[in-house]
Amino acid sequence: MAQTKTWNTTIKVRLDPTPAQAAFFDENFNCCRYLWNQMLSDQIRFYTETDAHFIPTPAKYKKDAPFLKEADSNALVSVHQNLHKAFQRFFSNPSRYRHPTFKSKKRCKNSYTTYCQYYRSGKGTSIYLTKDGIRLPKAGLVKARLHRRPLHWWTLKTATISKTSSGKYYCSLVFAYTTKPSRQIPPTPETTLGLNYSLSHFYIDSNGHAADPPHWLARSQDKLRYMQQQLARMQPGSRNYEQQLYKIQRLHEHISNQRKDFLHKESRRIANAWDAVCVKDTNLVKMSQAIKLGHVMDAGYGRFRSYLQYKLERLGKPYIVVEKYFPSTKTCHHCGSVNEALPAGAKRWTCPICGTTLDRAKNAAQNLRDQGLVQYSASQRQRASA
Ligand SMILES: [Zn+2]
């Protein structure tokens, strides 16, 4: 039975701070980085001396570093918590997680996270939205482009302020909300979509539809390549060079936004139109290493799948992952026989058993859909008998 579920959702907005507010944000980034590094070096020292894990609280540092008092105190608390979490992860599984590392001004992202406090009187919060801005602790009212509004039953949890390498400020607001249990519609072959990853088309679905990455994305990529060639001919350190570098950083950001936009729209379209989606459990990292992707969508498919997963789950629809070793490509969709002799590059092939001519990608997507439904009903039966 479906239960009431709590979800987190994020709205990211561009901030338009005054010079004083921008300076405050920059100072906060520095304070958080400073505190992280101090806490980390103290933890390392305690650990080598006493063999016990301990991270002092932010208040401990304010005496020696009075500039921390100027920072948003909740942001400092979240540094403490993040470092603590990073250690917990590391201790739980040292082979999988790295030991926390020091943050550098050059390499690391400029950001800090602060909490929304709900005042005890029940009136007001420490962070709130106005018509054209966001009120942030210590920064005051910051102008923002609010293209999207939270729904009235969402509660604001945290705000993360960040700065891109080209100098733009953003605020990511995390909201929590609960959904009531919805009646699940059992998926049928007609209402279920199988997706097969495709290098040249992003994916091919079980109806033979290809999701070609939009042409404007490829155009931006071409432009980027051209600009990088220009940069290579410039004198490093010169004014032209710096300007070109800035333009390239901006284009990088633009491309990443264009890509995200495409992935969100594509996953939203599918999540709304279908009752269930089946994908294959593949190791995307290994795959991209094997193929050496010089492709526009490179790592996008992994992100696309995670977008699709949460969008489906929020609608109460199943997202089905077909196990890795299922031979989706080699199986004939028509008769179910497995063709071990299938040549690697063939786009179309003819089944030696039943003689059907198959489209390689579409056939694989159809097999994924059918296998996904088999897996799904088996898991439902298992749940019912448990
Ligand atoms: Zn066949």
Side-chain angles (χ1 to χ4, degrees):
M1 273 281 105
Q3 283 172 354
T4 311
K5 271 192 140 176
T6 305
W7 304 98
N8 280 344
T9 191
T10 309
I11 296 182
K12 189 174 180 181
V13 294
R14 173 87 184 269
L15 296 177
D16 191 8
T18 63
Q21 287 170 331
F24 169 76
F25 291 149
D26 292 344
E27 197 46 45
N28 242 314
F29 300 145
N30 292 338
C31 285
C32 289
R33 188 183 305 116
Y34 169 86
L35 188 66
W36 172 281
N37 290 340
Q38 290 293 314
M39 286 175 164
L40 180 56
S41 77
D42 283 341
Q43 193 281 345
I44 293 169
R45 195 162 49 81
F46 292 144
Y47 200 74
T48 43
E49 283 170 8
T50 65
D51 225 20
H53 167 67
F54 173 69
I55 306 170
T57 60
K60 277 260 161 78
Y61 295 90
K62 286 187 181 171
K63 236 182 277 163
D64 292 332
F67 55 88
L68 290 178
K69 288 178 192 159
E70 305 297 318
D72 179 343
S73 58
N74 279 333
L76 302 181
V77 171
S78 84
V79 170
H80 183 262
Q81 288 182 341
N82 286 341
L83 185 60
H84 183 66
K85 270 185 233 159
F87 268 112
Q88 276 184 323
R89 267 198 302 273
F90 171 69
F91 289 138
S92 72
N93 193 348
S95 58
R96 185 165 167 207
Y97 298 103
R98 285 194 316 166
H99 188 282
T101 54
F102 291 101
K103 288 192 192 296
S104 105
K105 192 166 185 173
K106 273 209 177 127
R107 273 184 293 108
C108 296
K109 209 181 147 206
N110 277 314
S111 78
Y112 75 87
T113 298
T114 182
Y115 300 96
C116 182
Q117 286 186 312
Y118 289 77
Y119 298 131
R120 226 173 263 165
S121 60
K123 277 179 200 158
T125 50
S126 61
I127 303 172
Y128 55 83
L129 303 182
T130 63
K131 194 167 107 299
D132 56 356
I134 304 172
R135 196 270 171 193
L136 290 164
K138 286 211 172 172
L141 199 61
V142 186
K143 267 195 161 178
R145 299 180 199 174
L146 296 157
H147 57 284
R148 234 182 110 196
R149 290 259 159 202
L151 300 174
H152 69 268
W153 60 86
W154 295 5
T155 31
L156 183 57
K157 293 299 208 190
T158 64
T160 300
I161 292 86
S162 60
K163 186 187 182 181
T164 66
S165 52
S166 69
K168 291 177 194 160
Y169 292 88
Y170 286 92
C171 180
S172 291
L173 299 160
V174 176
F175 296 88
Y177 67 94
T178 52
T179 49
K180 287 208 183 84
S182 59
R183 207 168 55 87
Q184 248 188 21
I185 311 154
T188 65
E190 288 72 37
T191 59
T192 301
L193 192 68
L195 293 181
N196 184 50
Y197 175 72
S198 149
L199 186 58
S200 49
H201 298 288
F202 193 50
Y203 70 73
I204 306 265
D205 71 20
S206 45
N207 299 316
H209 169 77
D212 283 303
H215 57 89
W216 36 258
L217 201 52
R219 213 153 51 203
S220 303
Q221 292 278 4
D222 289 342
K223 198 173 161 193
L224 182 66
R225 214 166 301 131
Y226 175 69
M227 282 168 72
Q228 276 164 339
Q229 283 165 5
Q230 280 185 317
L231 183 75
R233 285 194 291 271
M234 291 175 183
Q235 187 68 36
S238 71
R239 197 175 151 74
N240 276 342
Y241 183 90
E242 293 300 322
Q243 273 179 345
Q244 185 75 1
L245 205 61
Y246 176 72
K247 279 189 202 159
I248 287 175
Q249 278 166 347
R250 283 194 43 162
L251 187 59
H252 263 299
E253 282 169 25
H254 183 61
I255 289 173
S256 115
N257 288 339
Q258 283 186 318
R259 182 181 290 145
K260 247 186 262 175
D261 180 66
F262 166 67
L263 298 178
H264 270 301
K265 281 179 182 157
E266 199 55 27
S267 53
R268 170 54 64 205
R269 190 183 62 75
I270 293 175
N272 286 352
W274 298 88
D275 283 347
V277 175
C278 308
V279 296
K280 192 164 186 176
D281 179 11
T282 37
N283 188 337
L284 286 162
V285 178
K286 233 178 209 166
M287 196 154 81
S288 67
Q289 281 167 349
I291 314 170
K292 283 248 171 64
L293 295 165
H295 194 259
V296 252
M297 288 317 295
D298 31 24
Y301 193 64
R303 188 184 279 180
F304 170 72
R305 296 203 327 181
S306 66
Y307 287 174
L308 191 57
Q309 180 174 14
Y310 84 75
K311 286 186 166 95
L312 284 163
E313 282 174 354
R314 282 175 198 199
L315 293 167
K317 297 174 176 181
Y319 169 84
I320 305 158
V321 180
V322 175
E323 56 125 343
K324 213 181 298 182
Y325 301 105
F326 173 69
S328 54
T329 308
K330 290 177 190 167
T331 305
C332 166
H333 174 68
H334 193 70
C335 68
S337 63
V338 178
N339 181 6
E340 290 295 347
L342 182 64
K347 287 209 162 170
R348 301 180 74 80
W349 57 285
T350 303
C351 173
I353 308 298
C354 71
T356 315
T357 302
L358 301 150
D359 179 294
R360 184 193 185 93
K362 184 183 171 186
N363 175 59
Q366 285 173 320
N367 286 328
L368 286 176
R369 178 193 64 198
D370 296 348
Q371 177 66 16
L373 285 171
V374 170
Q375 263 179 233
Y376 179 76
S377 51
S379 72
Q380 291 302 101
R381 269 199 305 275
Q382 215 166 30
R383 200 182 286 181
S385 64

